[in-house]
Amino acid sequence: MKNILVIGAAGQIGSELTPELRKRYGHTRVVAGIHKTIPPRELFESGPVEIIDVTDKEQLVPVIRKYKIDTIYNLAALLSVVGEANPLEAWRVGMNGLLNVLEVSREYRCAVFTPSSIGAFGLSTPLDNTPQDTIQRPQTMYGITKVAGELLSDYYFKRFGVDTRSVRYPGIISNVTPPGGGTTDYAVEIFYAAVKEKRFTCPLHPKTYLDMMYMPDALEAAVQLMEVDPSRLKHRNAFNVTAMSFCPEMIAAEIRRHIPDFEIHYQIDPIKQSIAESWPNKMDDSCAREEWDWDPKYDLPKVTEDMLRVIKKKVKGGE
Ligand code: AKB
């Protein structure tokens, strides 16, 4: 039986991954590691919670010992746009944090999942059907930490036998906790704006394609990869995974099928636009499909239907 620590449990992914892991592995066996962000109340009510600053190794060790942790989901990171506003902090949290997690995992024999991102690619990468193994020269500090994190995680596996595994997440669309400061956030914000105001001002060009994924598929990817028989894995850090690729005018057209008078306007944010243009339009995720049966369930029409349904309910309920 696994004993799991989720670091960054109050963030966009953590606030949904933690309850999912508790459902699968038992509520008392999954510790929510939180830092500055206040988590949803359910996280406190459904299992153990510990305050952990991942950049301080001394805060990690007692938690690992107390709960006999054997698996860590390390989600602490600054996303691409906030990372550009504060590159040193992005490095400190992304790299010092990861090094601490890998070091304690070496000592206490923990398996480690640390998400990478489409941000690990750059303009010199082939941006259509981006291969699993290709050029990785990102232009953001976020991307630099992700590439370095992939290499460091592979190093700890090969050198010390730490069971490290990871995926390169695309933009994650979700409706529990908002993403904090990424380039792909528009694909979440557009749904809230559509329901509340029937109009959205988009920071990206109408034809900027990016890979995306709905949260249920993102959770499945993490758990499925951590569960797979390691003898099947030719790669580890990190697998390309995608569920759909679209541009702002496509998502707007899909929303209009449900809200016919929805309007989209464009006010391009030069920082977000230049980051988005350096990321893949569409990744090739065939290695994930072959090595651990990756098979996402949600495409753009399904995500749109579900997001609008959930957000309408939230707005009606006064959230
Ligand atoms: C971001 O936009 O920074 C993130 C990501 C794709 O890693 N959502």
Coordinates of all heavy atoms in Angstrom, one line a residue, residues 64 70 116 135 144 175 193 200 241 244 249 256 266 271 291 316:
I64 N 8.1 13.0 6.0 CA 8.4 11.7 5.3 C 8.5 10.6 6.4 O 7.9 9.5 6.2 CB 9.6 11.8 4.4 CG1 9.1 12.6 3.2 CG2 10.1 10.5 4.0 CD1 10.2 13.0 2.3
D70 N 6.3 6.9 0.8 CA 7.1 6.2 -0.2 C 6.9 6.7 -1.6 O 7.5 6.3 -2.5 CB 6.8 4.7 -0.2 CG 5.3 4.4 -0.3 OD1 4.6 5.1 -1.1 OD2 4.8 3.5 0.4
S116 N 6.8 17.9 -15.8 CA 7.4 18.9 -16.7 C 6.3 19.5 -17.5 O 5.1 19.4 -17.1 CB 8.4 18.1 -17.6 OG 9.1 19.1 -18.4
I135 N 15.1 18.7 -29.8 CA 15.9 19.8 -29.2 C 15.0 20.5 -28.1 O 13.8 20.7 -28.3 CB 16.1 20.8 -30.4 CG1 16.9 20.2 -31.5 CG2 16.8 22.1 -29.8 CD1 16.8 21.0 -32.8
I144 N 13.5 26.6 -18.5 CA 14.8 26.1 -18.1 C 14.8 25.2 -16.9 O 15.4 24.2 -16.9 CB 15.7 27.4 -17.9 CG1 15.9 28.1 -19.2 CG2 17.0 27.0 -17.2 CD1 16.5 29.5 -19.1
N175 N -11.7 23.5 -13.3 CA -12.7 24.4 -12.7 C -12.8 24.3 -11.2 O -13.8 24.7 -10.6 CB -14.1 24.1 -13.3 CG -14.4 22.6 -13.3 OD1 -14.3 22.0 -12.2 ND2 -14.8 22.0 -14.4
A193 N -15.5 33.7 -18.3 CA -16.0 35.0 -19.0 C -17.2 34.7 -19.8 O -18.2 35.5 -19.8 CB -14.9 35.5 -19.8
F200 N -15.1 37.8 -24.0 CA -13.8 37.5 -23.5 C -12.7 38.3 -24.3 O -12.8 38.3 -25.5 CB -13.5 36.0 -23.5 CG -12.1 35.6 -23.0 CD1 -11.8 35.9 -21.7 CD2 -11.2 35.1 -23.9 CE1 -10.5 35.5 -21.2 CE2 -9.9 34.7 -23.4 CZ -9.6 34.9 -22.1
V241 N 2.6 14.3 -23.4 CA 1.2 13.9 -23.3 C 0.3 15.1 -23.8 O 0.5 16.2 -23.4 CB 0.8 13.5 -21.9 CG1 1.3 12.1 -21.5 CG2 1.2 14.5 -20.8
M244 N -5.6 17.4 -26.9 CA -6.2 18.2 -28.0 C -5.2 19.3 -28.3 O -4.4 19.7 -27.5 CB -7.6 18.7 -27.6 CG -7.5 19.7 -26.5 SD -9.1 19.8 -25.7 CE -8.9 18.8 -24.3
E249 N -9.5 31.0 -31.7 CA -10.8 31.1 -32.4 C -11.6 29.8 -32.5 O -12.8 29.8 -32.6 CB -10.5 31.7 -33.8 CG -9.8 30.8 -34.8 CD -9.6 31.5 -36.1 OE1 -9.8 32.7 -36.3 OE2 -9.2 30.8 -37.1
R256 N -19.5 29.1 -28.7 CA -20.7 29.7 -29.4 C -21.8 28.6 -29.7 O -22.9 29.0 -29.9 CB -20.3 30.4 -30.7 CG -20.5 31.9 -30.5 CD -20.0 32.6 -31.8 NE -18.9 33.5 -31.4 CZ -17.7 33.4 -32.0 NH1 -17.5 32.5 -32.9 NH2 -16.7 34.2 -31.6
Y266 N -9.6 40.6 -29.1 CA -8.2 40.2 -29.0 C -7.4 41.5 -28.6 O -7.5 42.5 -29.2 CB -7.6 39.6 -30.3 CG -8.3 38.3 -30.6 CD1 -9.4 38.3 -31.4 CD2 -7.8 37.1 -30.1 CE1 -10.0 37.1 -31.7 CE2 -8.4 35.9 -30.4 CZ -9.6 35.9 -31.2 OH -10.2 34.7 -31.5
I271 N 4.2 39.3 -23.9 CA 5.0 38.3 -23.2 C 4.3 36.9 -23.4 O 5.0 36.0 -23.8 CB 5.1 38.6 -21.7 CG1 5.9 39.9 -21.5 CG2 5.7 37.5 -20.9 CD1 6.1 40.4 -20.1
E291 N 4.2 3.1 -24.1 CA 4.9 2.6 -22.9 C 4.0 2.5 -21.7 O 4.3 1.7 -20.8 CB 6.1 3.5 -22.6 CG 7.2 3.4 -23.7 CD 8.4 4.3 -23.5 OE1 8.8 4.5 -22.4 OE2 8.8 4.9 -24.5
K316 N -24.4 30.1 -10.5 CA -25.8 30.1 -9.9 C -25.7 30.0 -8.4 O -26.5 30.7 -7.7 CB -26.5 28.9 -10.5 CG -27.8 29.3 -11.2 CD -28.5 28.1 -11.8 CE -29.9 28.3 -11.8 NZ -30.5 27.1 -12.3

